[in-house]
Amino acid sequence: MNKSGLGLIKFEISKKFPFTVEAAAGDCFFNSKSSCFSPYCRLVESSPEGYEKCVAHRRLALKTAVETGQKNIVLCHAGLITCVYPILREGRLEGALFMGKARIRSESETENDPPPAGVAPRVKRAVLERAWQHTPIVTPAVFREAADLFVELVKKHIPNDTGTLAAKYLTARQQDEIAEVIHRGKAEVKSPAYSYPLERELVSRV
């Protein structure tokens, strides 16, 4: 990973948003003692089961990002929102960048709402809640703005096979369009859902 580029991304994000940026290899293993992780994250990941849940969630988020060829914004099992963007070299996954680890404020949520239940059973609830309250909380609109800037900075500062990502995204979007056409056809007529010429035309787009 380009360390100077990563440093610039961290700096630009920190100027506008209270989010951390972290680089990870393709297997998504990480050091939870890193400065990228908040006290709340460290408590959640302090047990083997908590760490395994986090790794599994990160892998799934990265898998979706690679398959769609674009950023993936997800809410983790511990209640924090994160944006992941894949890094590819010659079409192969080299790693990923994760940005966020913040609480997301819904219309009904307040800063005093408690963390999700059961995320760190070995940690005293009072200690976990105190760390949760000190975790940054933002609206969905603010996080989307940060995610857009994050992707823009990654493309600018980290060498990446964006052509492969664009092709993946285009293919995924075309497949979604095909699925929608087929679904509409099935809803309109019970048999057959679409004609062979239409099927051939749709498949030719992928």
Side-chain angles (χ1 to χ4, degrees), residues 93-150:
L93 179 65
E94 183 176 273
L97 291 179
F98 291 81
M99 185 276 297
K101 302 182 183 71
R103 295 167 57 191
I104 195 74
R105 186 203 297 273
S106 65
E107 293 182 0
S108 61
E109 186 179 11
T110 70
E111 292 187 8
N112 296 322
D113 283 354
V119 295
R122 301 188 188 187
V123 178
K124 291 182 178 180
R125 187 66 181 179
V127 174
L128 187 68
E129 288 184 356
R130 191 159 51 246
W132 172 261
Q133 298 301 333
H134 285 87
T135 302
I137 180 169
V138 296
T139 63
V142 168
F143 194 82
R144 284 194 296 271
E145 181 184 351
D148 289 342
L149 175 61
F150 170 62

Side-chain angles (χ1 to χ4, degrees), residues 5 8-9 12-13 16-17 71 83 85 97 99 144-160 162:
L8 288 170
I9 294 171
E12 292 296 331
I13 290 292
K16 295 185 176 182
F17 304 100
K71 67 179 183 290
C83 177
Y85 194 77
L97 291 179
M99 185 276 297
R144 284 194 296 271
E145 181 184 351
D148 289 342
L149 175 61
F150 170 62
V151 172
E152 180 182 324
L153 292 170
V154 173
K155 291 179 178 179
K156 180 179 180 181
H157 297 297
I158 302 293
N160 200 5
T162 54

